[in-house]
Amino acid sequence: MDFSVNKIAADKQRASCIVVGIYESRRLSPSARALDDASGGELMKLIRSFEMQGSTDETLALNNLPDIPAKRVLLVGCGKKGAMSVSQYRRLLTTVMEKLGESGVKDVTLFLAELAVKEQDVYWKVRQIVETVRDSVYRFDQLKSAASTPKQPKIRRVVCAIASQRDKRRGEEGMRDAIGISDGVDLARELGNLPGNICTPTYLANRARQLARSHKSVKVRVLGEAEMKRLGMGTLLSVSRGSQEPARLITLAYNGSRAKKRPAVLIGKGVTFDSGGISIKPAAQMDEMKFDMCGAASVMGTVKVAASLGLPVNLVGIVAATENLPGSAASKPGDIYTSMSGQSVEVLNTDAEGRLVLCDALTYASRFDPDVVVDIATLTGACVVALGSHAAGLFSNNDRLAESLLGAGEFSHDRAWRLPLWDEYAEALKSNFADVANVGGREGGAITAASFLSRFATDYRWAHLDIAGVAWRGGKNKGATGRPVRLLSQFLLDRAGRKRVS
Ligand code: BES
Ligand code: MN
Ligand code: ZN
């Protein structure tokens, strides 16, 4: 895909399609105005005759306007004249991409960065445009044979038109960042979409090695079960007992900051298939538990973003990878294991495996002398009940860290919402036989899971993102979303001191 940012006049642009906005009551955007003038009022005539109003979600495609070099003009409704909200703008971009996908155009010029969006500048707008385009052309059909492969989107060239030459530098910055971020999102989506029989812990380790091979700034280390045992990772290894696939603890270290700055550590839950183990899950939608490694995928995607953009930050990505299956050696309800931290854990439910894997990774993270640690996990169905699919659950032992993650999510529109981590919730995890139980009751399930993790994140500033509701979509458009790579990438851009607005 070829992107560029250029100052161009809509009435001069030779492209198979150009896209311009119209506001409600047929108020024209600057580029629509230019087209109307150049076509001698023909644009407005057609808008009237097709009864387009300019309201949100409305589109109108016009071919061969007189004296306009572009073959086709796609008009998109922008709603009330004035600055749009961020969600309105994103919705408009999605509508445009749907229409362009259906029409099969190959090159398009978008006059959409000129539309005013509340509190956002040209950098943000171009970034949103490029990210939305990349999101809409993503396909996962590597496992379909040619015969059953659906039609590919044809768009190859996208020009983001800007209103003034002064916007070029910031616009291009937005484009470059968006391309880097989208490469990471694509990786996370691909790993998420791969089925459990291909995407095993060993496979993830190989993809991590590949990532390190293609970026000099990234080093990889993979621990096998023997090494994990030596480290005392009893709870992590309790999960892989029921599977033939050996667990892997993968560390990716990206060094982008010259200074010996303490790194941000990202930890991803990498359960490559979660059957529930002996506390087995019901059959309906169990296939979706191949997505239980989306936290890990987002960590690998974010490392890729940092490396491709060459961000001046130090970053460590840890992927705790295992299957959760009910083999004959599987752990059983009531079993007690000792974690690397020394705390013993009573496994009351083998389906609460994510926290067993993550707690050892959290202890392991201390050796990197982290500035902050963020774990990312498809941890609880309860989080899906609480927040649905629009926001990830955020938990933290540090208000500043929580604020910066929330802010990064807001800016990248990959949002999170904070939930409490009060001491009272810890009581649900009391065990009669071990230091802690791995489940509380039904109440506040996302919070008791986070509370369990917090017992292991005592040495540093820590946050936990429960992405169970946001990491993939079910139903007809089933597939991984790549979230929260955009949030995490923005978090790193902010840490790198990058300005959000010019
Ligand atoms: N991977 C699941 C969480 C999950 C379930 C994510 C459904 C998305 C959709 C996790 O390992 C799990 O099974 N959690 C249990 C915890 C319970 C046993 C306390 C859950 O949420 O039901
Ligand atoms: Mn589970
Ligand atoms: Zn799980």
Side-chain angles (χ1 to χ4, degrees), residues 177-196:
D177 286 351
I179 292 171
I181 292 169
S182 299
D183 289 345
V185 169
D186 281 4
L187 172 62
R189 293 179 82 175
E190 188 205 351
L191 293 173
N193 287 330
L194 282 165

Side-chain angles (χ1 to χ4, degrees), residues 269 271 274 292 351 353-354 378:
K269 172 179 174 184
V271 175
D274 179 14
D292 211 18
D351 197 10
E353 86 296 342
T378 49

Side-chain angles (χ1 to χ4, degrees), residues 293-467:
M293 35 56 69
C294 283
S298 75
V299 170
M300 290 172 66
T302 304
V303 170
K304 181 170 171 143
V305 174
S308 0
L309 292 179
L311 295 183
V313 296
N314 290 333
L315 174 68
V316 174
I318 299 175
V319 164
T322 176
E323 282 189 333
N324 184 23
L325 289 181
S328 61
S331 68
K332 308 166 291 295
D335 284 1
I336 296 176
Y337 293 95
T338 303
S339 65
M340 186 180 175
S341 74
Q343 296 176 73
S344 62
V345 180
E346 186 184 15
V347 179
L348 291 176
N349 189 319
T350 66
D351 197 10
E353 86 296 342
R355 58 198 83 179
L356 299 175
V357 169
L358 290 169
C359 69
D360 278 339
L362 284 165
T363 305
Y364 184 71
S366 284
R367 67 178 50 202
F368 300 102
D369 187 25
D371 179 39
V372 295
V373 176
V374 182
D375 76 73
I376 304 102
T378 49
L379 203 64
T380 64
C383 192
V384 191
V385 174
L387 295 173
S389 60
H390 298 296
L394 171 70
F395 303 83
S396 183
N397 61 13
N398 181 278
D399 292 343
R400 267 195 57 204
L401 174 59
E403 288 303 322
S404 54
L405 287 163
L406 291 173
E410 208 55 64
F411 187 78
S412 60
H413 209 76
D414 182 0
R415 290 173 294 182
W417 194 257
R418 193 173 181 186
L419 294 168
L421 252 184
W422 298 319
D423 290 344
E424 286 81 349
Y425 289 101
E427 277 157 42
L429 297 169
K430 284 207 168 120
S431 161
N432 286 352
F433 305 104
D435 297 338
V436 65
N438 79 328
V439 292
R442 265 171 36 81
E443 285 179 18
I447 307 176
T448 52
S451 167
F452 179 92
L453 295 179
S454 73
R455 304 172 58 100
F456 301 85
T458 47
D459 302 357
Y460 41 68
R461 294 186 284 173
W462 159 78
H464 157 60
L465 284 165
D466 192 332
I467 59 165

Side-chain angles (χ1 to χ4, degrees), residues 65-78:
L65 279 175
D67 298 312
I68 301 298
K71 285 206 207 74
R72 165 183 297 214
V73 175
L74 178 67
L75 300 171
V76 57
C78 303

